[in-house]
Structures are given as C-alpha cells and as structure tokens.
C-alpha cells in the first residue's frame, strides 16, 4: 500500500493558483524549513500541497500536447520541475505505472513526450498511473 501511495499521492511545497501548477516536489516525504524571527511555543504555518494525478499525461505532457486528455497539467510546460519529475519518475517507474512498468519502451515514450517528439499513443494507453 505504501509503495502504491508513494507513486500516486504527490506532495509539493508550492502551488501557483494562477496557472494551477505545482513545484518543489517532496520526493522523500521529508523536508527542512528554516524560520526567522520565531518565538518559542508560537506555531509557524507551513503549507504542503498534494495531488493525485488522473493520467500519465497530466504528469508529463505539455498543456499543448495533442494527446492530452486532462485539461490540467501539474507543471508549467517549460519548467525545470516537470523535467526533474520526469527523471524521478523514470527511475521509479514501478511506483507510477502498472504492469511492465520498467520496460525500455516506456522510458522511451516518456523521453519523447518530454522532448515534444512523436510517440506511440498505443503504448500510452497501456501505461496506467
């Protein structure tokens, strides 16, 4: 259950309300904060945002991808966050995808999506988040 949840519920430190995108992925379920001008026994608010993506496209595709079925993507199209998350995902495919998640063809499809190259929509339909 923990493994399944780690690949489906994603936590972030930042959320852009204007673009409806996330950043600063909390990949290891921990993070450190430094506070200034704090007082003993006075709580400090820390926001953590979570999301459970519906599709692989929502995680990896640019908002302009013709095969995107969800209208909202998690990351800005040209953000470093999107690329960093894709690298994390490629290294942990079995957390995110069912079936033969670690097949090289799946990694190639992810690369093609990120680069804006053509990719097999047949393979995409077989990859389930």
């Amino acid at each position: 259950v923990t493994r399944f949840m780690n690949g489906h519920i994603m936590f972030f430190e930042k959320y852009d309300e204007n673009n409806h995108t996330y950043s600063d992925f909390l990949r290891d379920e921990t993070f450190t904060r430094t506070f200034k001008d704090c007082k003993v026994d006075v709580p400090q608010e820390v926001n953590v945002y979570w999301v459970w993506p519906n599709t692989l496209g929502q995680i990896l595709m640019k908002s302009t991808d013709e095969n995107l079925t969800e209208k909202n993507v998690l990351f800005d199209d040209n953000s470093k966050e999107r690329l960093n998350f894709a690298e994390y995902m490629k290294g942990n495919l079995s957390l995110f995808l069912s079936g033969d998640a670690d097949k090289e063809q799946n990694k190639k499809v992810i690369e093609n999506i990120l680069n804006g190259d053509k990719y097999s929509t047949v393979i995409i339909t077989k990859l389930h988040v």
Side-chain angles (χ1 to χ4, degrees):
V1 171
T2 301
R3 188 165 178 74
F4 178 78
M5 297 302 277
N6 283 338
H8 287 77
I9 297 179
M10 298 173 207
F11 295 93
F12 299 88
E13 287 190 65
K14 296 179 183 167
Y15 175 70
D16 182 334
E17 290 184 27
N18 295 324
N19 296 323
H20 305 287
T21 55
Y22 297 86
S23 59
D24 296 341
F25 175 57
L26 299 171
R27 71 180 68 225
D28 62 1
E29 301 170 1
T30 64
F31 65 101
T32 302
R33 284 283 180 139
T34 303
F35 296 99
K36 296 180 181 180
D37 302 322
C38 295
K39 296 179 179 144
V40 175
D41 295 326
V42 176
Q44 297 294 311
E45 183 175 319
V46 175
N47 292 317
V48 175
Y49 303 91
W50 69 273
V51 63
W52 183 311
N54 292 325
T55 65
L56 181 65
Q58 197 176 16
I59 298 170
L60 297 176
M61 291 178 181
K62 288 186 174 186
S63 62
T64 56
D65 192 303
E66 65 186 21
N67 298 308
L68 184 66
T69 57
E70 292 286 328
K71 70 177 193 175
N72 293 324
V73 292
L74 296 184
F75 308 111
D76 284 330
D77 287 351
N78 297 313
S79 71
K80 196 168 193 109
E81 186 76 27
R82 182 174 152 270
L83 299 176
N84 289 342
F85 194 83
E87 286 303 314
Y88 172 76
M89 187 176 188
K90 284 191 320 187
N92 298 281
L93 282 176
S94 63
L95 290 177
F96 299 94
L97 305 175
S98 60
D100 296 327
D102 292 322
K103 282 188 175 179
E104 282 303 312
Q105 68 181 359
N106 296 340
K107 292 178 184 178
K108 181 65 178 160
V109 167
I110 290 171
E111 284 294 324
N112 289 352
I113 290 170
L114 293 173
N115 295 332
D117 298 334
K118 293 285 182 194
Y119 57 90
S120 170
T121 54
V122 172
I123 292 174
I124 280 289
T125 59
K126 293 179 182 178
L127 300 179
H128 302 286
V129 177

